[in-house]
Amino acid sequence: MGRIKAAVLLLLAAALTLTPGCADLNESDKLTIVPGLGFDREGGEYALITEIVSEPEAEGSAGKPQSSLIDSRGRTITEAINNNILLSGNILYYAHVQVIVIGREAAERGIWEYIDYVNGQNSFRLMLRPIVADGSAAELMQAKALKTDVSSFELREILASNERIYRAPDIPIYRLANDILEEGIEGILPLAHIEDNQGEPTSKIAGTALFVGDRLAGTLDETETQYLLWLRGKVEGGTVTLGKDVFEVIEGKTSLECGRNTVKIKLSVRMSAEEGSFDGERTERELKELIESDIAGLVKKLQTLGCDAAGFGRRLKRANAGEWREVAENWREQFGRLEVTVAAEPSVTVFKRTNR
Amino acid sequence: MQSFPEKISAVMRENVERMKEYFHLDKTVKYHFFSAGKAECCVVFIDGMTNSALINEYVIKPAAQASLKAAPEERLAHLEKDVVQAGETSQQESWSELLQALVRGDSLVFCDGCARALIVGSKGYERRSISEPDGEVVMKGPREGLTEVLLSNIAMLRRKVCSEKLRFEFFELGETTKTACCICYIDGTADARVLAELRERAGRIRIDGVLDSNYVTELIRENRFSPFRNVGTTERPDIVAAKLLEGRAAMLVDGSPVAITVPHIFIEHLQSNEDYYISFYFAGINRMLRLIGFLLSVSIAPVYIAMVTHHHELLPTTLLVMISHARQGVPFSSLSEALILLLAFEVMREAGSRMPSQMGQTLSVVGALVVGQAAVAASMVSAPMLIVIAFSGVTGLISPKLKSVVIIACVGLILMADAMGMYGYVMGMIWLAANLASQRSFGVPMLASVPLMEAGDGEDSFVRAPFNRMKKFGRFLAGEKHGKN
């Protein structure tokens, strides 16, 4: 009995070594950690720029991680990535990729192949953030990082802090893939620019890249981005500028009634104002007009581009599947013909900063 | 070598000569001849084992002044009844009994004409004074500890439990040492099945000598190869008394200051007598800390190794970058690093525990600075691994009773984690839990009284309920009618 038990235990223990990942022993110092990747298209080739974390210059805790960039090219994404390994001479570890920067030209040609490549590799995380560069990806990744020495970490942090100020969307790659594949909604990504900061090119994320299918169709500025994000989801932040006064959004709610021909947008939003910038009902009326015209302008722009980035089609599908089936085939055209009415209800709370 | 016949002779000289011949090189065996009336007598005792004042004052002096007029065969009875003034006397004719009494410290009085000898209880030897046991120090609470003398230990117990129901059963263990042992329990409170099992197991022991209670512990325990102890040990009489009140049985061994208590279940590894002498809030926090400390000490190193060798994706990026940089230039694999550091830690712990406290401090400074700081500076080991092993080692010291489990489990889990990553660690933990759950201590499941196992028994397990809320104190052992407040 004892021998049988021992044999069973031995077999079970041996079987354990076959479980996935078991033979995957790698010491952490043998890995080259990749925090970000950039894709550009140059002619028929894929230009890949890989940021790798390198040894800190100072010893001990004072040593902040540094990064270096590796350029590689290939006729396919896989070839470009494989050429990368030849250059770096170490195992490139992609599980900690935080951002993927896609150059404007590459985005215009279609981003699905990048999403597909990342989703197909088990080493990439589905929470990584794709960003569209308003230029080439290489330029953006070479721009100076202000806080850390690794520009991908910095881009990721800028995106995270954007969540409250509604200047750019923060979309993980799995949600982008869902938006592209799902009917009745289009994908959006944050848009990054190079800005001059005290004489040095620095990266800035503000605005939205709009996709129709997987191709870049247009961009939105910061204000338009805020209204688009309100239409897509929660209203928990952002600002509305009326003349010289700035109103900060505390909370709000959007409700969309989507039909096959009409869309009614209702938006109630509570804002805070400083004393002096608030003039009772007049300010609220002016704010209402401003918000309504801004949202109407945004929707008009989206309709012109044929890009249902707010997901009116998806809402129609969820609310009335039968109606959706009739228009699903030609939704992009139908979207351009939608009659959209906007009703905003702003309310302003005044906060005193100090008593005079 | 000369051997003794079964019974002693009626001729005193013959008996004494036989003893002198047997103990001719032993200078501690003393013979004192004196005349009690017409009868010639001899008192034999071992120097150093006896209270010589008692022999002089209450045996020799009154005997020498007495006039034994009785018939030769009546003399001894007369001596015992009317002359010798000792609390403990008996007549014996068997040589083996007499010699046994002699080596235990009693005195023998041979009287000419009597075919029996008188055993006079005169034990008196140097003993250690009562002090607080170093291994079970408390901040608050009784400070006395058991000593090596069985009778003194029993007295300490009797002082704590002043009840006629406190019972002691004596027996001897060790073919050569004939060590006196004693089972203690509170009649009516102790579980009869546990007692019967203890008697039966103690009765089965065949061993030359019992020099410490651990000889008995190893021989009476179940699952001898399991790292978890299922026989409790303590050097404190207050703990023994508390266990007796909970319905457990205890065993004391002469010559050992360590008492054995059975049954001993897992939760007792996390308990301390101090838990009952301080606020129940603080006691609860301490117990939870001990449990967390135990889990951390067995888990932190294997989980770290699994993370840095197999599951880099589970670490936050900045932490991985930090660990990766710290490991640059270290020539050993993470597994070797961990094992080397664990070995170093255990060596220092063992060295420190056998050392005078002043030298212990030097050792810790040298250990921390030389082995730690210099090893990191020289890239022999990485700083994160040093932190992990040091933390694991320190948390392991929270529950000294689980130290052997921690060492064995930690090394085993490290090997499994290195081979199979988190799968290995999880499998190891499952094995550890299954091993624990499958064990019993004198019929009581090792995981008894754990809230998850038996709802309602949690009043004195991971936390201690206030005394007025303890309705069924140790009820799984003692039965419903006992221990109620």
Side-chain angles (χ1 to χ4, degrees):
Chain A
M1 190 60 200
R3 280 189 184 174
I4 294 172
K5 205 171 157 186
V8 169
L9 275 175
L10 202 69
L11 269 175
L12 283 176
L16 267 180
T17 56
L18 302 176
T19 46
C22 280
D24 193 23
L25 191 144
N26 264 320
E27 290 293 349
S28 52
D29 53 317
K30 301 285 182 288
L31 304 173
T32 300
I33 299 159
V34 179
L37 288 174
F39 289 103
D40 277 317
R41 290 295 293 271
E42 286 175 14
E45 282 197 320
Y46 291 85
L48 173 70
I49 183 155
T50 309
E51 184 166 38
I52 57 168
V53 179
S54 50
E55 280 279 297
E57 281 165 11
E59 282 290 317
S61 57
K64 281 201 296 184
Q66 311 280 314
S67 76
S68 357
L69 297 172
I70 305 174
D71 278 319
S72 62
R73 279 158 200 283
R75 283 162 296 167
T76 61
I77 298 175
T78 313
E79 193 179 282
I81 287 206
N82 287 346
N83 288 343
N84 219 342
I85 298 169
L86 299 177
L87 282 170
S88 74
N90 213 342
I91 309 163
L92 289 180
Y93 189 60
Y94 293 106
H96 283 272
V97 172
Q98 312 255 328
V99 291
I100 286 185
V101 181
I102 300 165
R104 191 174 184 118
E105 195 188 331
E108 280 167 355
R109 289 202 201 179
I111 55 168
W112 185 252
E113 49 191 333
Y114 309 109
I115 298 170
D116 199 35
Y117 179 81
V118 166
N119 284 350
Q121 304 290 317
N122 62 4
S123 53
F124 286 93
R125 289 184 193 194
L126 294 182
M127 288 302 284
L128 68 87
R129 269 39 178 197
I131 296 170
V132 172
D134 194 13
S136 79
E139 275 174 30
L140 190 79
M141 294 184 76
Q142 281 158 1
K144 184 179 163 59
L146 293 176
K147 227 176 90 187
T148 68
D149 290 320
V150 182
S151 65
S152 302
F153 289 165
E154 184 120 331
L155 288 171
R156 180 71 191 86
E157 277 187 29
I158 298 172
L159 265 183
S161 57
N162 256 323
E163 203 185 339
R164 295 294 297 177
I165 57 172
Y166 282 65
R167 296 281 171 83
D170 185 14
I171 311 276
I173 196 162
Y174 76 91
R175 267 188 60 198
L176 175 70
N178 283 353
D179 288 350
I180 289 177
L181 292 175
E182 199 178 346
E183 292 174 311
I185 192 164
E186 301 288 356
I188 58 169
L189 281 182
L191 188 65
H193 318 262
I194 304 278
E195 275 208 350
D196 189 70
N197 181 41
Q198 299 195 329
E200 290 206 68
T202 313
S203 49
K204 177 190 176 184
I205 300 179
T208 305
L210 299 170
F211 289 85
V212 173
D214 73 329
R215 287 165 194 267
L216 181 69
T219 58
L220 299 180
D221 66 15
E222 292 166 41
T223 315
E224 290 166 329
T225 298
Q226 171 178 300
Y227 292 120
L228 176 65
L229 292 177
W230 285 4
L231 292 182
R232 277 175 76 107
K234 291 176 188 167
V235 185
E236 285 176 349
T239 53
V240 178
T241 311
L242 181 67
K244 282 190 284 180
D245 300 323
V246 177
F247 296 84
E248 277 192 34
V249 175
I250 302 167
E251 59 174 7
K253 201 180 165 197
T254 334
S255 68
L256 298 177
E257 277 179 38
C258 301
R260 58 191 296 177
N261 297 315
T262 56
V263 171
K264 286 181 189 164
I265 301 169
K266 280 186 192 163
L267 174 75
S268 62
V269 57
R270 200 156 72 81
M271 292 183 275
S272 68
E274 286 170 32
E275 199 184 17
S277 61
F278 182 60
D279 187 13
E281 283 184 10
R282 193 170 66 83
T283 313
E284 284 186 348
R285 198 177 57 246
E286 284 174 6
L287 277 170
K288 176 182 163 69
E289 284 164 9
L290 176 72
I291 294 171
E292 283 176 357
S293 72
D294 277 355
I295 292 181
L298 167 72
V299 174
K300 195 80 217 158
K301 185 172 181 178
L302 294 177
Q303 284 180 317
T304 316
L305 293 169
C307 171
D308 183 6
F312 295 154
R314 185 164 70 180
R315 292 197 186 233
L316 172 64
K317 186 178 168 187
R318 286 178 186 173
N320 193 340
E323 211 169 297
W324 167 254
R325 269 196 294 276
E326 290 168 23
V327 291
E329 193 101 338
N330 300 310
W331 177 248
R332 281 192 183 126
E333 289 80 46
Q334 183 68 18
F335 172 70
R337 292 194 291 271
L338 282 178
E339 270 182 41
V340 180
T341 52
V342 187
E345 283 176 34
S347 64
V348 180
T349 312
V350 178
F351 291 107
K352 285 185 179 177
R353 277 198 175 155
T354 49
N355 284 326
R356 277 181 202 158
Chain B
M1 183 189 283
Q2 185 208 348
S3 60
F4 289 89
E6 197 182 330
K7 291 182 178 176
I8 68 166
S9 153
V11 184
M12 183 271 285
R13 287 274 171 196
E14 199 178 307
N15 292 330
V16 174
E17 285 309 316
R18 197 181 285 277
M19 288 187 74
K20 278 188 171 173
E21 205 173 321
Y22 187 76
F23 293 110
H24 72 286
L25 291 175
D26 189 341
K27 302 291 180 199
T28 60
V29 182
K30 303 289 180 191
Y31 309 87
H32 183 86
F33 294 92
F34 59 94
S35 297
K38 289 178 184 171
E40 199 180 359
C41 300
C42 177
V43 58
V44 184
F45 58 93
I46 296 180
D47 199 13
M49 293 284 287
T50 45
N51 182 346
S52 46
L54 185 143
I55 299 171
N56 290 336
E57 200 64 25
Y58 302 110
V59 180
I60 298 172
K61 200 172 162 187
Q65 287 168 355
S67 52
L68 293 183
K69 289 174 183 168
E73 59 275 15
E74 301 285 314
R75 285 173 185 159
L76 206 64
H78 180 56
L79 259 182
E80 184 184 4
K81 252 170 79 179
D82 304 325
V83 179
V84 172
Q85 297 169 10
E88 194 189 324
T89 54
S90 66
Q91 291 184 37
Q92 191 55 257
E93 57 181 7
S94 150
W95 265 119
S96 65
E97 296 289 333
L98 288 168
L99 290 172
Q100 192 54 233
L102 180 73
V103 295
R104 283 192 191 284
D106 291 335
S107 307
L108 309 180
V109 180
F110 294 94
C111 197
D112 204 21
C114 296
R116 301 165 79 84
L118 188 66
I119 300 174
V120 181
S122 60
K123 293 186 192 74
Y125 32 75
E126 292 301 318
R127 59 180 69 173
R128 185 166 65 90
S129 64
I130 293 171
S131 60
E132 185 171 17
D134 287 338
E136 293 172 88
V137 182
V138 292
M139 303 288 279
K140 262 170 101 177
R143 303 212 177 271
E144 60 184 0
L146 297 173
T147 65
E148 285 75 5
V149 183
L150 180 63
L151 286 174
S152 137
N153 293 343
I154 288 172
M156 275 190 249
L157 276 184
R158 280 203 195 276
R159 276 208 341 263
K160 296 211 177 278
V161 186
C162 298
S163 164
E164 76 287 352
K165 289 187 174 173
L166 178 64
R167 299 289 176 83
F168 297 93
E169 289 179 13
F170 288 85
F171 57 97
E172 282 178 358
L173 283 179
E175 306 289 328
T176 309
T177 57
K178 306 238 183 282
T179 310
C181 299
C182 159
I183 292 176
C184 330
Y185 58 94
I186 296 176
D187 198 14
T189 303
D191 190 303
R193 287 164 299 179
V194 171
L195 271 176
E197 186 69 29
L198 180 60
R199 286 186 198 114
E200 202 255 315
R201 288 190 199 177
R204 278 208 307 258
I205 294 177
R206 294 285 174 271
I207 188 168
D208 281 351
V210 174
L211 302 179
D212 184 73
S213 57
N214 191 49
Y215 288 53
V216 182
T217 307
E218 279 200 14
L219 291 167
I220 62 170
R221 64 176 288 193
E222 294 131 313
N223 304 90
R224 287 180 189 166
F225 296 103
S226 166
F228 292 99
R229 291 180 76 106
N230 44 30
V231 173
T233 54
T234 178
E235 286 189 56
R236 305 190 73 102
D238 52 324
I239 294 181
V240 180
K243 304 269 184 208
L244 294 180
L245 289 169
E246 285 175 15
R248 291 179 170 82
M251 191 165 154
L252 299 168
V253 174
D254 195 24
S256 170
V258 182
I260 297 168
T261 60
V262 291
H264 184 73
I265 54 176
F266 176 70
I267 200 75
E268 287 176 74
H269 290 93
L270 305 173
Q271 292 172 343
S272 153
N273 54 336
E274 203 175 2
D275 294 346
Y276 304 93
Y277 307 147
I278 55 176
S279 141
F280 63 92
Y281 286 119
F282 195 36
I285 292 169
N286 285 348
R287 275 196 193 168
M288 292 309 285
L289 280 178
R290 281 179 218 128
L291 179 69
I292 294 168
F294 168 64
L295 291 176
L296 278 179
S297 58
V298 295
S299 299
I300 189 166
V303 167
Y304 176 79
I305 294 213
M307 294 283 171
V308 297
T309 54
H310 289 80
H311 312 286
H312 307 102
E313 67 280 358
L314 290 181
L315 293 167
T317 310
T318 39
L319 183 62
L320 177 65
V321 169
M322 189 269 282
I323 290 170
S324 170
H325 286 160
R327 271 196 53 78
Q328 295 292 335
V330 175
F332 304 111
S333 65
S334 297
L335 173 70
S336 321
E337 250 188 302
L339 293 179
I340 290 168
L341 281 173
L342 262 183
L343 182 72
F345 183 87
E346 294 305 333
V347 164
M348 277 188 278
R349 179 190 57 77
E350 180 62 18
S353 64
R354 302 267 172 278
M355 214 172 256
S357 56
Q358 296 87 341
M359 281 169 78
Q361 284 180 0
T362 318
L363 182 86
S364 53
V365 170
V366 170
L369 289 181
V370 176
V371 180
Q373 184 68 35
V376 172
S379 286
M380 292 284 284
V381 290
S382 62
M385 182 63 88
L386 188 68
I387 294 167
V388 165
I389 298 293
F391 192 68
S392 161
V394 172
T395 49
L397 295 176
I398 292 182
S399 324
K401 292 178 196 165
L402 284 164
K403 191 65 200 150
S404 63
V405 183
V406 166
I407 297 173
I408 295 168
C410 191
V411 171
L413 288 170
I414 283 177
L415 293 175
M416 289 186 79
D418 187 72
M420 291 174 256
M422 284 302 281
Y423 292 104
Y425 165 73
V426 171
M427 285 296 151
M429 285 303 272
I430 290 174
W431 180 83
L432 206 63
N435 178 275
L436 191 56
S438 68
Q439 285 186 35
R440 282 170 176 270
S441 170
F442 285 78
V444 178
M446 279 292 274
L447 286 180
S449 191
V450 172
L452 292 173
M453 301 289 289
E454 287 177 34
D457 264 352
E459 61 197 23
D460 190 21
S461 52
F462 288 136
V463 291
R464 174 176 80 75
F467 287 121
N468 61 344
R469 301 295 296 274
M470 286 199 188
K471 301 292 181 209
K472 293 167 183 171
F473 201 65
R475 66 173 185 179
F476 61 93
L477 294 170
E480 293 286 317
K481 66 179 187 292
H482 300 287
K484 282 190 181 181
N485 267 348

